């Protein structure tokens, strides 16, 4: 049903564009025939809006991967650097939640490990919506921040790194078998706010897949059973993506999780000092309004990457 809805939306969109194009051209011809510049101007304005819709549909047509239509898991991990990187990881998490909210996507927090002084060490969220994975997979990799540190009493400039990993929420159409002997399950007390329950029960679950070394955890549910079920779903998605990476080598770079979180490995840099600039090193696309980007205005970067990938300029 999800695939059918996606296809129907694409076909209906094409039909709507064709009809509106014919109507606008007809209005322009009518206005010119009757020398009515008001009608012509109105139809030309409609054509400009139609051009934006066509551009959006064109980008959606680039999302042709098997998993692009799925919901997405998003993981953020702070790099080396203690409080600086952990604060940067929290800023990235906020940026992606803001982006998801702007697109009407649903956000569910699955795991979050707080930093010692500020920020987060890691977090996992699920973002649900049409083509969520297809859009977000362009963001996987290492992100670099350059700024005057709010944690440095001498107001020196610091460089921080955090990584973003993206993988699809697979459904039952993708079969992944996991042997019980291949996983180790550990339980622990949930961290953060949550009242008396999480302070007294070991409801959080961490699952380690021994053959691959993949580790997933969940602590958002009240019961250990629910957290284990969610963690297993995440593990299935991670393993499904691993299989896809074996079939398509370039997906390893799209996901970005295997890169070193440090100099030379970043896909994007965010300069807050001395200049205000966000630049994607893969596409060279850049934006001077850094605050807008950190508030979730990411579509320009996403679109630039998808178009560059379609043209064979990036892998």
């Amino acid at each position: 049903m999800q695939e059918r809805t996606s296809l129907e939306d694409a076909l209906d969109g094409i039909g709507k564009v064709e009809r509106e194009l014919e109507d606008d051209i007809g209005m322009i011809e009518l206005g010119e025939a009757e020398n009515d510049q008001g009608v012509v101007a109105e139809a030309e304005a409609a054509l400009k809006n139609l051009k934006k819709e066509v551009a959006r549909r064109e980008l959606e047509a680039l999302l042709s991967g098997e998993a692009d239509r799925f919901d997405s898991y998003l993981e953020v991990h702070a790099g080396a650097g203690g409080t600086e990187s952990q604060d940067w990881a929290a800023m990235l998490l906020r940026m992606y939640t803001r982006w998801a909210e702007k697109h009407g996507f649903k956000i569910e927090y699955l795991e979050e490990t707080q930093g010692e002084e500020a920020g987060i060490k890691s977090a996992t969220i699920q973002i649900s919506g049409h083509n969520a994975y297809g859009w977000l997979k362009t963001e996987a990799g290492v992100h670099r921040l350059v700024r005057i540190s709010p944690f440095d009493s001498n107001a020196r400039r610091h460089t921080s790194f955090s990584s973003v990993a993206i993988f699809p929420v697979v459904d039952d159409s993708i079969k992944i078998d996991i042997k019980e002997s291949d996983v180790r399950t550990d339980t622990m007390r949930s961290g953060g706010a949550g009242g008396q329950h999480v302070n007294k029960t070991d409801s959080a679950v961490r699952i380690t897949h021994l053959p691959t070394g993949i580790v997933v955890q969940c602590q958002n549910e009240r019961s250990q059973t629910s957290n284990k079920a969610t963690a297993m779903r995440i593990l299935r998605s991670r393993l499904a993506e691993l299989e896809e990476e074996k079939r398509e080598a370039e997906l390893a770079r799209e996901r970005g999780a295997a890169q070193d979180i440090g100099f030379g490995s970043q896909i994007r840099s965010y300069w807050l000092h001395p200049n205000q600039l966000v630049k994607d090193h893969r596409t060279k696309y850049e934006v001077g309004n850094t605050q807008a980007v950190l508030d979730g205005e990411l579509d320009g970067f996403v679109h630039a990457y998808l178009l560059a990938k379609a043209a064979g300029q990036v892998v």
Side-chain angles (χ1 to χ4, degrees), residues 68-314:
D68 285 351
R69 61 186 172 86
F70 291 160
D71 298 336
S72 179
Y73 292 119
L74 183 147
E75 289 183 357
V76 178
H77 297 274
T83 302
E84 286 291 336
S85 294
Q86 291 166 16
D87 187 55
W88 174 222
M91 292 170 64
L92 282 174
L93 182 64
R94 175 185 177 275
M95 181 178 75
Y96 288 114
T97 55
R98 288 293 182 89
W99 175 87
E101 290 168 354
K102 291 176 186 292
H103 288 75
F105 290 166
K106 178 183 176 183
I107 304 164
E108 182 180 0
Y109 285 79
L110 302 177
E111 179 273 330
E112 186 173 299
T113 302
Q114 297 291 326
E116 286 86 357
E117 298 180 24
I120 58 173
K121 293 181 179 179
S122 67
T124 303
I125 62 175
Q126 179 175 333
I127 298 178
S128 303
H130 182 54
N131 287 333
Y133 174 71
W135 297 121
L136 283 169
K137 68 180 183 182
T138 65
E139 292 296 298
V142 177
H143 297 247
R144 179 178 69 162
L145 172 70
V146 180
R147 65 172 175 174
I148 297 296
S149 171
F151 307 101
D152 189 332
S153 58
N154 295 317
R156 290 172 294 188
R157 189 172 73 169
H158 285 248
T159 299
S160 307
F161 297 90
S162 290
S163 69
V164 175
I166 308 291
F167 44 99
V169 180
V170 299
D171 59 17
D172 293 336
S173 65
I174 299 179
K175 302 298 181 182
I176 298 294
D177 294 323
I178 302 176
K179 298 179 181 178
E180 289 188 16
S181 59
D182 286 344
V183 298
R184 184 180 71 242
T185 302
D186 300 306
T187 59
M188 68 212 82
R189 193 159 297 177
S190 296
Q196 295 180 348
H197 172 79
V198 297
N199 295 327
K200 293 183 179 180
T201 63
D202 293 339
S203 59
V205 173
R206 178 189 295 121
I207 296 178
T208 303
H209 188 249
L210 301 176
T212 61
I214 292 175
V215 178
V216 298
Q217 60 186 49
C218 182
Q219 64 180 32
N220 70 313
E221 304 290 349
R222 288 179 58 86
S223 74
Q224 186 182 115
T225 301
S226 297
N227 279 326
K228 183 177 180 179
T230 299
M232 286 297 294
R233 286 197 299 271
I234 297 174
L235 178 59
R236 286 183 65 248
S237 294
R238 294 285 294 270
L239 292 174
E241 190 201 25
L242 193 62
E243 290 299 315
E244 186 66 17
E245 285 177 355
K246 292 177 182 178
R247 292 191 294 269
E248 245 187 294
E250 69 264 21
L251 284 184
R253 176 169 178 174
E254 287 184 0
R255 179 167 176 264
Q259 299 182 25
D260 293 330
I261 310 178
F263 281 101
S265 61
Q266 67 271 5
I267 64 166
R268 189 176 302 148
S269 292
Y270 305 69
W271 287 279
L272 305 186
H273 180 85
N275 301 317
Q276 302 279 314
L277 182 69
V278 181
K279 181 176 181 179
D280 195 293
H281 300 291
R282 303 164 299 179
T283 63
K284 311 305 179 186
Y285 182 85
E286 58 185 48
V287 173
N289 189 345
T290 56
Q291 190 55 54
V293 175
L294 293 174
D295 283 338
E297 296 292 341
L298 297 172
D299 285 351
F301 294 98
V302 173
H303 296 174
Y305 182 86
L306 288 173
L307 290 173
K309 191 174 187 300
Q313 297 169 353
V314 298

